[in-house]
Amino acid sequence: MEMQSLKQRRFEARTAIVTGAARGIGRGIAQRLAEEGCRIACWDNDVSSLESGDGSFAALVQDVDLADARAVEAAFAATLESFGHVDIVVNNAGINGPVVPIEDYPVDAWNRVLAVDLNSVFHTCRLAVPHMRARGAGRIVNVASIVGKEGHPNICAYSAAKAGVIGLTKSIARELAGTGVTVNGIAPAITETDLFREMTEEHIEASKARIPMGRFLTVPEIAAMVAWIASDECSFTTGFTFDLSGGRATY
Ligand SMILES: NC(=O)c1ccc[n+]([C@@H]2O[C@H](COP(=O)([O-])OP(=O)(O)OC[C@H]3O[C@@H](n4cnc5c(N)ncnc54)[C@H](O)[C@@H]3O)[C@@H](O)[C@H]2O)c1
């Protein structure tokens, strides 16, 4: 079935913050929401592609380091000033960090991965939650990873941060149950992005072999799931992290 034909206009008059929207998965999510009528604030610490390339889907571009709580406060204030309100927050920005055994893992790298992948979600949620609660509506979608559920060797900080995102999602969801605000996550498996250019053919084939569907996840598939979770249609699920694993996660 052609995915294009399933697109709707679910986000007319809605606004969303998408973090890490300058490229990759975040860009795909931002474009999908915009195609369905949403006004998008793209938050990223490398906004050059949005300003120079095709950033037409971005109603607002914020150059912000999400690891910096004060910078996030300033970006949230600027977004509110521009949009008036925020309906949706997609916490997508993330970094991988080094690929080394734990005994070789640099402390600075550990702190940076936790700051960008986990603390950033706290920084945005602590601002978005009171705003959404007061409005009696809102959708928060946190991008975790299948690695946060299963663990993965040699990327201990990334695995821990993504497991932390899943726990944070559950906790905030419980705080907000019954308010009209839902908080959910997604746990994608390895996805066909620019990341592949950095990988060896062996690594790509080994990764594919672990996916029962025998192919990789694509950015439009992630964007479609996020759009549904962020829509009014996803109304009775909160605190859950949805897998996108091609049949790998069956627990
Ligand atoms: N690509 C995959 O296979 C995969 C699988 C599972 C989960 N994920 C998760 O999906 C999310 C997006 O991944 P991607 O593959 O699109 O990555 P990417 O590197 O292509 O894009 C990440 C974006 O986040 C931005 N960013 C990084 N650090 C930032 C910071 N401190 N402040 C603001 N912006 C920052 C980058 O500039 C970039 O635009 C990440 O959280 C990643 O962990 C990716």
Side-chain angles (χ1 to χ4, degrees), residues 19-26 43-46 64-67 92-96 112 116-117 143-146 158 162 188-191 193 195:
T19 74
R23 64 167 191 254
I25 293 169
W43 291 12
D44 208 291
N45 67 348
D46 178 5
V64 53
D65 177 2
L66 287 145
N92 160 80
I95 55 173
N96 293 329
R112 183 65 186 165
V116 176
D117 291 1
V143 179
S145 165
I146 200 74
Y158 184 80
K162 292 301 187 182
I190 188 166
T191 311
T193 62
L195 202 74

Side-chain angles (χ1 to χ4, degrees), residues 8 17 27 56 69 79 88 93 97 106-107 125 130 133 143 159 161 164 169 175 190 192 211 241:
Q8 305 165 48
I17 294 167
R27 188 182 178 92
S56 57
T79 302
I88 298 160
V107 173
C125 286
R133 188 196 280 117
V143 179
S159 302
T169 300
E175 289 181 34
I190 188 166
E192 246 179 273
I211 301 173
T241 295

Side-chain angles (χ1 to χ4, degrees), residues 126-150:
R126 63 184 268 278
L127 303 171
V129 161
H131 174 76
M132 290 177 171
R133 188 196 280 117
R135 289 173 50 78
R139 293 282 183 267
I140 296 175
V141 187
N142 297 326
V143 179
S145 165
I146 200 74
V147 166
K149 292 190 169 184
E150 297 186 353

